[in-house]
Amino acid sequence: MSRSSRILGLGHHAPGRKVANAEIENNLGLEPGWIERRTGIRSRFWATDEDTLSGLAAQAGDMALANAGIDRADVGLLLLATSTPDHLLPPSAPLVAHRLGLSRSGAIDLTGACAGFIYALMFADGFTRLHGRPALVIAANILSRRINPAERASAVLFADAAGAVVIGPCEDDDRGILGASVDSDGSRYGLIQIPAGGSNRPFHDGLDIEQTRMTITDGREVFSKAVEMMTACSQEALGAALLKPQEINRFVPHQANARIFDAVGRNLGIADHAIVKSIAEYGNSSAATIPLSLSLANQNEPFRAGEKILLAAAGAGLSGGALVVGI
């Protein structure tokens, strides 16, 4: 067994169609600037007809593997965090692994909504420690095809993107996951959902199209519960890592809404300049936002050995979590 794991490579990909707020504001009859004031979003990327979820995921994974500089035959596991797979069956991860040339890798999807990357990275860390082999974690979503264009709460937020992280075995206790906390609240199960498509309400002819699209039933409660869960999980993860918030070099939250992660940052006492933000240009791509933000941040200012970063997310389910990671 390895004592720890560490980040070896980062990657991201967004589709080619950039959608500015004005297009959505015009469709919804909103005044100019309404979306940015309430969400922090100026634009987002939406898939074209030619884009597939597995294609976006493979692009981000390819970048991360190239960045890691490892032999692809060494990768032992691919975890794909997504709420919008190519098909309900089979999982999309084996196709992504095939496209990436991962000839000796297990591959499976994880449906953890906005917190999916947190869970996937935690599981991959366990695999890498146990087997001493690198793992690839990808989070990807095409949410534009699940937006209800007439529902303001969801139409203004969601985007399409993919982000990826390669981790590998390490013997340095100061690297990899130093502290973790996960949580759920099934009493708020229906706050964010796509009602149809599961076994309770399968797709069939004559199904109301609205049942196949994203809906947010109470935006204010989503806001308050997300802030509460992300704050509590972050505090627990920091405690497990024996670190104070002020010792975190960069806080990389799920980019749900700028007001949410700004509130979490204030609750934790993390300075605004330490919060990594990608929401203005990329919107909310659910689980993909954290690895996307990590990759963009690394391009802008490469992570340095010894940095401590905090990751936190909460979303549909409700499900959330936080990780403290040493670089």
Side-chain angles (χ1 to χ4, degrees):
M1 291 183 64
S2 299
R3 294 174 64 185
S4 185
S5 70
R6 68 184 182 97
I7 293 176
L8 301 177
L10 297 163
H12 67 276
H13 182 73
R17 184 189 171 202
K18 188 173 185 177
V19 179
N21 284 346
E23 179 178 333
I24 298 171
E25 288 168 341
N26 289 338
N27 290 340
L28 292 171
L30 300 172
E31 65 182 47
W34 190 95
I35 294 174
E36 185 173 0
R37 286 196 301 274
R38 285 161 176 79
T39 68
I41 299 170
R42 290 195 294 267
S43 63
R44 75 285 291 143
F45 292 87
W46 283 356
T48 65
D49 290 343
E50 292 74 29
D51 288 313
T52 64
L53 184 283
S54 56
L56 296 187
Q59 293 262 31
D62 188 63
M63 179 178 174
L65 288 163
N67 186 243
I70 61 173
D71 188 333
R72 299 190 182 205
D74 292 338
V75 176
L77 179 67
L78 187 158
L79 295 179
L80 174 60
T82 184
S83 299
T84 59
D86 285 339
H87 305 94
L88 290 178
L89 187 75
S92 299
L95 178 59
V96 176
H98 172 69
R99 290 181 173 177
L100 291 173
L102 305 183
S103 58
R104 299 179 57 242
S105 173
I108 196 70
D109 293 2
L110 294 175
T111 54
C114 296
F117 177 77
I118 295 287
Y119 283 81
L121 185 59
M122 186 173 63
F123 297 156
D125 172 77
F127 172 88
T128 294
R129 290 182 191 228
L130 180 62
H131 296 284
R133 295 183 65 189
L136 171 61
V137 179
I138 305 175
N141 281 296
I142 295 182
L143 294 168
S144 62
R145 294 175 186 163
R146 292 299 185 188
I147 289 171
N148 181 349
E151 184 188 82
R152 185 176 66 187
S154 58
V156 303
L157 291 174
F158 292 112
D160 308 336
V165 174
V166 178
I167 64 171
C170 177
E171 299 304 320
D172 188 343
D173 289 336
D174 289 330
R175 285 182 152 177
I177 295 177
L178 307 177
S181 173
V182 291
D183 193 14
S184 69
D185 182 2
S187 71
R188 302 298 190 272
Y189 187 74
L191 280 176
I192 308 170
Q193 64 174 318
I194 299 174
S199 59
N200 280 1
R201 197 174 300 173
F203 292 128
H204 59 79
D205 291 341
L207 182 71
D208 183 354
I209 190 66
E210 302 303 320
Q211 298 296 304
T212 70
R213 292 172 168 170
M214 184 87 69
T215 183
I216 298 176
T217 59
D218 188 335
R220 290 184 178 179
E221 188 170 12
V222 169
F223 180 95
S224 116
K225 293 299 179 183
V227 171
E228 179 183 317
M229 187 174 282
M230 288 173 67
T231 299
C233 287
S234 295
Q235 290 170 335
E236 289 183 5
L238 286 163
L242 303 178
L243 290 172
K244 298 176 181 178
Q246 295 73 23
E247 295 177 279
I248 293 297
N249 299 100
R250 294 188 235 189
F251 174 36
V252 188
H254 166 46
Q255 309 285 301
N257 180 313
R259 293 186 301 133
I260 289 177
F261 58 68
D262 284 345
V264 175
R266 288 193 299 271
N267 288 348
L268 295 173
I270 293 177
D272 185 70
H273 67 79
I275 303 176
V276 173
K277 305 177 183 182
S278 63
I279 194 169
E281 301 301 321
Y282 288 88
N284 177 356
S285 54
S286 188
T289 67
I290 291 180
L292 169 78
S293 298
L294 283 168
S295 183
L296 291 168
N298 188 58
Q299 282 188 338
N300 183 56
E301 182 184 342
F303 289 107
R304 303 176 304 277
E307 277 197 61
K308 303 294 188 292
I309 62 175
L310 172 65
L311 316 177
L318 295 173
S319 183
L323 302 174
V324 176
V325 180
I327 300 299

